[in-house]
């Protein structure tokens, strides 16, 4: 409505503007024509002849600029300047142009110039029934109570029809049924709304749900319609009360019946369903509080259960009112009285009273310490009132009678240990002398308080750890852990390293410990070649008074890393560089041993396993290198065309993850046989003398080694390092192999065994008895003759002849 009002005001202002302009600049003529056209007309449909209806000469239309002045409806229509006819442009849809506006009017402004004329043309778009009523949902669901009264109204979703006037929704129809009728409310321009009215109450037990059909019908010819399904669910109301199955409930009950005894079970039924038909039971509000202490009722089953001590002398009969209620929103309740008659027996049980009680006793208390004072009583007389009190066997407590009757002291019978048991539930039993005898029990709990009587215990003893050398100082290496069986502060443990004096404990200063959690970290970096193992002691102390402590031995083994470069032992010249000169007669055959490169690596295992390779050689066909022994041999005989001097560069590389290497240079000079024999005779004589000396000193050295030393070497190296034999057999299969000496060290920790294979020693090297096992005595590196005697010191200390 507001938009229409604004549109009308705008049109009036435009008309006023043209009137003023005409008065100021020339004359103007106004006229107005009205046409009507049905919607859904195709493009080019004739609306009317404006020139004819306005009496304008059709021949002057084009010269005078006959046209439609810009308006909101210009895009819907067009005019022919030749004959003045108004046509439809495009498909004409009233619902898109005017929506719900009725009537649907489109105002066009027609202008002619010289002289200026303004004419207004109104086109009414007439609606046709091109839309059927449509519900937003195909189905709707609602619920109603069976207690709903006739006349109850339910608002239903309205259908929508874009058409207007008589083509819009005119009425609604409801499918035939016995309980509902339909009312239609007309809200003018908003439309008609259906309302469902209950005209007959619904019984849920007869009808639980029903389906209806709502149809919306418009006024078109022919009429169009739309349908929506309606599902109505009938909800139950609580219209039935519970009914007990018996008129009278009466039962006999022995006094002193055990707690939990079922006295009687009541039962009621309800014809309703769901929560309205579920029955719960309870005592009535008028039941005396004393009865509530004696009896209880199960709300689900209706069982009355003994809750307290039933005493015939106190009351011989009990009458209890029971209520049965359903679970409806407004529950309905039925009352019933239950009579309980008490049957007399030996009716008084002894009573136990704890007169004085210490609920905590120290574990270091002496035997005979009083824990509690117990008094017993019985309302009966004679033998029925004679009471005996005792505690069960198997606990470190007993009852001691006092000078007064029925007064007992609960005392300890032996020492207590909180760590074995920190709590005792002591059952006191009182029994009278009646027939049959009655008894009662009472349980008291005695706590054993802690004293600091346990030292900390380490989880392992000793500890063994393995760390890799070259560790970063300050990083955590490993941890120790201790526990204390005591409690609270007596179990709070602090750790410290015992700083002992002596050379064997000097590495203790290399480590420190976190006093709270036992983590041990290194203060310095370890070097396997300097120290392979060391031990220290960790002290764990609790926070008790006085504190208790214990210590544990920590064995640390350093694991090797490949951090040492191979060292060339031969050839080495006078200035220390790895370079040597060898002379070879020209007439030697293939396979002649020219020389051997010897090297040493301070690392062990694969880190100290050396391999030899030719990095540079002047003639690949003439010389060959054994990659394991370092021996250089001729591959063929020399010829007259071969050069007299050859240079070989040998690469010595270990087998670490990141290999380290060194190089040695050997200059081989090829000489005539006479010169070689002359030099060989001199060298042979000298060498024989030296070899004799070496053999003599070696025999003296081996003979001076005691049997104990041999046994120790065999036990520590051969027996424990069982893998060393395999290692040697893998790489030293040649019986004439005279490579390096493979020594080993084994670390043992429980079932774990670690073997560290050490560097090899060169041929002819001997172990000096006063050395630490790694010192080598290297003999003269001169070439050996075929008669030379070689000594190879193996792991088993066997002497092998070449």
């Amino acid at each position: 409505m507001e938009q229409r009002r604004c549109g009308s005001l705008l049109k009036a202002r435009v008309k006023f503007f043209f009137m003023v302009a005409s008065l100021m600049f020339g004359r103007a003529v106004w006229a107005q024509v009205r046409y009507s056209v049905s919607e859904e007309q195709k493009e080019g449909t004739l609306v009317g002849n404006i020139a004819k209806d306005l009496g304008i000469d059709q021949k002057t239309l084009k010269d005078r600029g006959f046209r439609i002045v810009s308006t909101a409806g210009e895009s819907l229509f067009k005019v022919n300047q030749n004959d003045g006819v108004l046509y439809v442009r495009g498909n004409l849809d009233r619902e898109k142009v005017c929506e719900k506006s009725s009537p649907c009017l489109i105002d066009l402004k027609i202008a002619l110039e010289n002289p200026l004329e303004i004419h207004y043309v109104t086109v009414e778009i007439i609606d046709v029934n091109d839309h059927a009523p449509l519900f937003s949902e195909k189905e709707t669901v609602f619920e109603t109570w069976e207690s709903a009264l006739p006349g109850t109204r339910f608002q239903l979703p309205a259908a929508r029809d874009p058409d207007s006037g008589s083509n819009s929704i005119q009425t609604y129809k409801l499918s035939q049924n016995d309980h509902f009728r339909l009312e239609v409310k007309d809200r003018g321009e908003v439309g008609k709304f259906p309302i469902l009215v209950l005209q007959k109450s619904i019984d849920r037990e007869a009808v639980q749900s029903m389906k209806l059909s709502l149809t919306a019908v418009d006024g078109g010819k022919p009429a169009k319609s739309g349908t929506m399904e309606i599902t109505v669910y009938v909800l139950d109301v609580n219209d039935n009360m519970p009914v007990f199955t018996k008129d009278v409930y009466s039962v006999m009950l022995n006094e002193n019946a055990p707690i939990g005894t079922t006295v009687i079970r009541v039962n009621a039924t309800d014809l309703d369903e769901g929560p309205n038909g579920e029955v719960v039971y309870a005592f009535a509000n008028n039941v005396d509080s004393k009865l509530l202490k004696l009896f209880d009722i199960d709300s689900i089953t209706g069982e009355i259960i003994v809750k307290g001590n039933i005493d015939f002398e106190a009351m011989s009969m009990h009458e209890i009112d029971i209520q049965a209620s359903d679970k409806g929103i407004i529950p309905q309740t039925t009352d019933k009285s239950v009579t309980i008659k008490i049957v007399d027996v030996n009716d008084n049980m002894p009573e136990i009273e704890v007169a004085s009680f210490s609920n905590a006793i120290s574990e270091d208390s002496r035997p005979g310490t009083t824990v509690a004072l117990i008094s017993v009583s019985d309302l009966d007389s004679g033998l029925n009132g004679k009471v005996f009190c005792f505690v069960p066997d198997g606990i470190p407590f007993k009852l001691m009678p006092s000078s007064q009757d029925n007064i007992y002291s609960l005392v300890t019978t032996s020492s207590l240990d909180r760590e074995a048991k920190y709590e005792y539930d002591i059952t006191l039993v009182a029994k009278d002398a009646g027939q049959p005898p009655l008894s009662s029990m009472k349980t008291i709990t005695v706590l054993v308080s802690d004293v600091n009587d346990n030292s900390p215990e380490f989880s392992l003893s000793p500890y063994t750890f393995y760390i890799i050398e070259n560790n970063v100082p300050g990083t955590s290496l490993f941890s120790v852990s201790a526990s204390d069986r005591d409690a609270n502060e007596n179990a709070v443990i602090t750790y410290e390293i015992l700083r002992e004096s002596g050379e064997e404990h000097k590495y203790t200063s290399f480590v420190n410990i976190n006093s709270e959690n036992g983590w041990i970290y290194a203060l310095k970096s370890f070097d396997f070649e300097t120290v392979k193992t060391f031990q220290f002691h960790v002290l764990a102390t609790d926070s008790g008074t006085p504190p208790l402590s214990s210590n544990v031995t920590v064995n640390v083994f350093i694991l090797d890393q490949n951090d040492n470069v191979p060292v060339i032992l031969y050839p080495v010249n006078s200035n220390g560089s790895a370079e040597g000169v060898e002379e070879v007669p020209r007439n030697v055959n293939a396979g002649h041993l020219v020389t051997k490169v010897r090297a040493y690596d301070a690392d062990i295992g694969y880190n100290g396993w050396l391999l030899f390779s030719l990095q540079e050689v002047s003639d690949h066909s003439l010389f060959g290198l054994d990659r394991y022994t370092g021996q250089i041999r001729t591959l063929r005989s020399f010829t007259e065309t071969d050069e007299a001097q050859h240079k070989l560069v040998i690469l010595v590389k270990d087998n670490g993850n990141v290999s380290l290497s060194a190089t040695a240079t050997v200059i081989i000079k090829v000489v005539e046989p006479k010169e070689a024999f002359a030099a060989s005779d001199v060298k042979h004589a000298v060498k024989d003398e030296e070899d004799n000396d070496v053999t003599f000193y070696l025999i003296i050295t081996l003979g001076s080694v005691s049997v104990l030393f041999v046994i120790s070497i065999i036990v520590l190296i051969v027996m424990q390092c069982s893998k060393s034999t395999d290692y040697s057999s893998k790489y030293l299969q040649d019986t004439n192999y005279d490579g390096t000496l493979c020594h080993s060290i084994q670390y043992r920790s429980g079932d774990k065994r670690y073997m560290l294979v050490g560097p090899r020693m060169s041929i002819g090297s001997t172990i000096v008895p006063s050395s630490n096992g790694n010192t080598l005595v290297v003999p003269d590196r001169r070439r050996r003759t075929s008669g030379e005697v070689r000594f190879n010191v193996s792991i088993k200390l066997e002497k092998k002849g070449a």
Side-chain angles (χ1 to χ4, degrees):
M1 294 297 291
E2 187 66 26
Q3 291 179 351
R4 293 181 184 177
R5 189 179 299 111
C6 292
S8 300
L9 182 59
L10 180 60
K11 294 176 181 178
R13 290 179 178 177
V14 172
K15 290 180 180 180
F16 177 76
F17 172 76
F18 277 100
M19 290 175 65
V20 174
S22 300
L23 292 174
M24 293 179 63
F25 302 104
R27 70 186 188 91
V29 177
W30 292 277
Q32 188 164 358
V33 180
R34 181 172 181 142
Y35 300 103
S36 62
V37 61
S38 297
E39 67 171 327
E40 303 297 336
Q41 297 296 329
K42 296 182 179 180
E43 183 174 0
T45 300
L46 174 65
V47 178
N49 193 320
I50 299 175
K52 181 179 179 181
D53 294 337
L54 293 176
I56 303 172
D57 187 358
Q58 296 181 355
K59 298 179 180 180
T60 62
L61 293 178
K62 193 169 186 179
D63 295 335
R64 295 183 62 184
F66 181 74
R67 68 187 186 278
I68 298 176
V69 181
S70 176
T71 64
E74 181 182 1
S75 61
L76 301 176
F77 302 95
K78 63 182 178 179
V79 294
N80 191 324
Q81 290 185 340
N82 295 322
D83 54 9
V85 175
L86 181 67
Y87 295 96
V88 174
R89 175 187 289 175
N91 186 27
L92 196 61
D93 188 355
R94 188 200 67 83
E95 283 73 29
K96 291 184 179 179
V97 177
C98 297
E99 295 183 354
K100 286 294 184 180
S101 298
S102 182
C104 180
L105 302 177
I106 305 298
D107 293 328
L108 302 177
K109 186 161 55 177
I110 308 300
L112 295 97
E113 298 177 356
N114 299 320
L116 177 63
E117 293 184 17
I118 301 298
H119 301 280
Y120 294 94
V121 176
T122 301
V123 181
E124 179 182 3
I125 301 175
I126 300 173
D127 183 50
V128 296
N129 191 23
D130 57 346
H131 293 88
L134 181 65
F135 288 93
S136 59
E137 297 180 355
K138 293 183 178 180
E139 183 179 2
T140 184
V141 178
F142 69 91
E143 299 173 338
T144 180
W145 295 98
E146 65 173 324
S147 60
L149 299 177
T152 303
R153 300 164 68 85
F154 304 92
Q155 181 72 51
L156 297 177
R160 294 289 181 266
D161 192 332
D163 296 326
S164 63
S166 62
N167 293 328
S168 63
I169 297 174
Q170 299 299 312
T171 186
Y172 290 91
K173 296 181 181 179
L174 184 66
S175 60
Q176 183 66 32
N177 69 94
D178 297 332
H179 297 89
F180 293 95
R181 61 182 176 85
L182 187 67
E183 288 185 1
V184 180
K185 186 175 183 179
D186 191 350
R187 295 186 179 177
E189 294 184 359
V190 178
K192 295 180 175 60
F193 293 86
I195 299 175
L196 199 63
V197 181
L198 180 68
Q199 62 180 8
K200 180 182 178 181
S201 297
I202 305 174
D203 185 6
R204 188 202 63 82
E205 285 71 26
V207 179
Q208 296 183 356
S209 66
M210 63 179 65
K211 287 189 176 294
L212 306 175
S213 178
L214 178 65
T215 304
V217 183
D218 62 20
K221 293 182 180 180
K224 295 185 178 182
S225 63
T227 304
M228 178 180 67
E229 297 295 329
I230 302 173
T231 302
V232 181
Y233 291 102
V234 184
L235 303 179
D236 183 43
V237 295
N238 192 16
D239 54 353
N240 292 284
M241 65 175 56
V243 177
F244 283 94
T245 56
K246 291 184 179 180
D247 294 333
V248 177
Y249 286 95
S250 180
V251 67
M252 305 289 288
L253 177 66
N254 291 333
E255 69 169 328
N256 300 324
I259 295 175
T261 300
T262 299
V263 180
I264 193 173
R265 179 176 180 176
V266 297
N267 186 36
T269 59
D270 194 315
L271 296 179
D272 292 323
E273 293 185 357
N276 297 330
E278 296 182 15
V279 180
V280 294
Y281 305 91
F283 291 135
N285 295 330
N286 61 348
V287 175
D288 189 86
S289 59
K290 294 181 180 179
L291 287 178
L292 296 178
K293 295 180 180 179
L294 298 178
F295 301 99
D296 198 0
I297 186 169
D298 191 306
S299 62
I300 304 300
T301 64
E303 292 181 345
I304 299 176
I305 302 170
V306 175
K307 181 181 178 181
N309 184 25
I310 307 300
D311 188 1
F312 176 83
E313 285 73 25
M315 185 172 288
S316 60
M317 186 180 68
H318 301 284
E319 190 170 350
I320 306 176
D321 291 333
I322 306 298
Q323 288 184 341
S325 305
D326 57 32
K327 293 184 178 180
I329 297 176
I330 302 177
Q332 299 204 38
T333 303
T334 302
D335 296 333
K336 182 65 67 174
S337 179
V338 177
T339 301
I340 302 175
K341 296 179 180 180
I342 308 303
V343 178
D344 186 30
V345 291
N346 184 14
D347 54 352
N348 290 290
M349 294 185 297
E351 295 182 358
I352 303 173
E353 181 182 358
V354 180
S356 178
F357 175 54
S358 297
N359 63 346
I361 181 172
S362 178
E363 65 175 320
D364 60 351
S365 299
R366 296 180 178 179
T369 301
T370 300
V371 178
L373 294 178
I374 310 298
S375 65
V376 295
S377 61
D378 195 319
L379 297 178
D380 295 326
S381 60
L383 292 177
N384 292 333
K386 185 69 174 177
V387 181
F388 303 94
C389 191
F390 59 91
V391 295
D393 297 332
I395 59 174
F397 299 92
K398 68 177 181 179
L399 288 174
M400 296 289 293
S402 65
S403 57
Q404 298 181 4
D405 291 340
N406 297 334
I407 300 295
Y408 297 87
S409 298
L410 181 65
V411 299
T412 60
T413 59
S414 61
S415 299
L416 304 177
D417 184 3
R418 188 204 67 85
E419 287 69 41
K421 191 169 185 178
Y422 66 92
E423 180 181 85
Y424 291 92
D425 292 327
I426 304 174
T427 301
L428 307 173
V429 182
K431 187 176 182 180
D432 62 22
Q435 292 296 328
L438 297 178
S439 62
S440 60
M441 297 181 295
K442 189 167 188 176
T443 301
I444 61 175
T445 300
V446 178
L447 301 177
V448 181
S449 60
D450 184 51
V451 296
N452 193 24
D453 56 349
N454 288 279
S455 300
E457 296 179 0
F458 284 93
S459 58
L460 293 174
S461 182
Y463 282 92
T464 300
F465 298 103
Y466 300 86
I467 60 175
I468 298 176
E469 66 171 329
N470 302 321
N471 56 289
V472 179
T475 58
S476 298
L477 301 177
F478 43 80
S479 66
V480 297
S481 177
S483 59
D484 196 312
R485 297 177 61 198
D486 294 322
N488 303 325
E489 288 147 1
N490 295 331
V492 177
I493 298 174
T494 58
Y495 302 89
E496 64 175 309
I497 294 177
L498 295 177
R499 308 293 182 180
E500 303 174 80
S501 60
E503 182 67 20
E504 66 275 13
H505 300 294
K506 67 179 180 178
Y507 295 106
T508 305
S509 60
F510 283 31
V511 294
N512 207 346
I513 190 169
N514 188 313
S515 61
E516 296 180 357
N517 55 30
W519 271 100
I520 297 173
Y521 53 93
L523 299 176
K524 296 182 180 181
S525 180
F526 294 101
D527 182 12
F528 175 82
E529 286 70 36
T530 303
V531 56
K532 294 178 176 57
T533 179
F534 66 93
Q535 71 173 208
F536 58 92
H537 296 88
V538 175
L539 182 69
T541 306
D542 61 28
S543 301
T545 304
L548 300 177
S549 62
S550 61
N551 64 77
V552 69
T553 299
V554 178
N555 296 313
V556 180
F557 293 90
I558 312 301
L559 300 180
D560 183 45
Q561 276 190 327
N562 191 24
D563 57 348
N564 289 279
V565 178
V567 177
I568 304 298
L569 300 179
Y570 180 82
V572 179
N573 60 16
S574 58
N575 61 6
S577 62
E579 184 173 346
V581 179
E582 294 289 339
E583 293 181 352
V584 180
R586 185 176 292 275
N587 61 349
V588 296
N589 297 323
H592 175 74
L593 176 63
V594 179
T595 186
K596 176 182 177 182
V597 178
R598 297 178 178 85
Y600 170 79
D601 195 317
D603 295 319
I604 66 170
Y606 283 99
N607 296 331
W609 176 29
L610 302 181
L611 295 177
F612 301 84
S613 62
L614 282 173
Q615 188 176 29
E616 181 181 339
V617 60
S618 58
D619 190 344
H620 287 280
S621 65
L622 189 54
F623 299 101
L625 175 67
D626 189 303
R627 63 176 304 186
Y628 298 111
T629 64
Q631 292 178 349
I632 301 174
R633 295 180 181 271
T634 59
L635 298 177
R636 61 177 175 80
S637 301
F638 290 99
T639 64
E640 295 297 331
T641 59
D642 291 330
E643 295 181 1
Q645 181 171 311
H646 300 271
K647 178 180 179 181
L648 281 71
V649 179
I650 292 89
L651 177 67
V652 184
K653 182 172 66 174
D654 60 27
N655 277 267
N657 289 333
V658 178
S659 298
L660 302 177
S661 62
T663 59
T665 302
V666 177
I667 305 298
I668 301 176
K669 294 181 179 182
V670 181
V671 298
E672 296 302 325
K674 294 180 180 181
E675 297 176 5
F677 291 151
S680 176
D681 291 339
V682 176
K683 293 180 181 179
H684 181 72
V686 175
K687 187 59 184 176
D688 289 341
E689 184 179 351
E690 290 180 356
D691 289 343
N692 291 333
D693 292 339
V694 171
T695 304
F696 176 73
Y697 288 118
L698 180 60
I699 293 173
I700 293 176
T701 302
L702 295 177
S704 62
V705 176
S706 64
V707 176
L708 180 61
F709 176 76
V710 175
I711 295 174
S712 299
I713 293 299
I714 293 173
V715 172
L716 294 178
I717 298 180
V718 178
M719 297 298 291
Q720 295 183 9
C721 300
S722 60
K723 295 183 180 181
S724 62
T725 303
D726 297 337
Y727 181 88
S728 300
S729 63
K730 181 177 180 180
Y731 298 111
L732 304 177
Q733 296 176 357
D734 187 1
T735 56
N736 295 325
Y737 170 64
D738 54 353
T740 59
L741 175 64
C742 182
H743 65 275
S744 65
I745 300 174
Q746 283 194 347
Y747 293 162
R748 294 176 62 93
S749 175
D751 294 334
K752 297 181 179 179
R753 175 178 296 177
Y754 299 85
M755 182 178 72
L756 305 178
V757 181
R760 294 176 293 243
M761 299 170 64
S762 62
I763 299 175
S765 301
T766 59
I767 300 178
V768 179
S770 60
S771 70
N772 59 5
N774 288 332
T775 303
L776 299 178
V777 179
V778 183
D780 187 14
R781 303 303 179 190
R782 292 176 296 175
R783 245 179 341 105
R784 303 174 186 269
T785 63
S786 59
E788 178 184 21
V789 178
R790 300 177 181 178
F791 294 93
N792 182 24
V793 182
S794 68
I795 296 176
K796 297 184 179 181
L797 295 181
E798 294 180 350
K799 184 172 67 175
K800 296 182 179 181

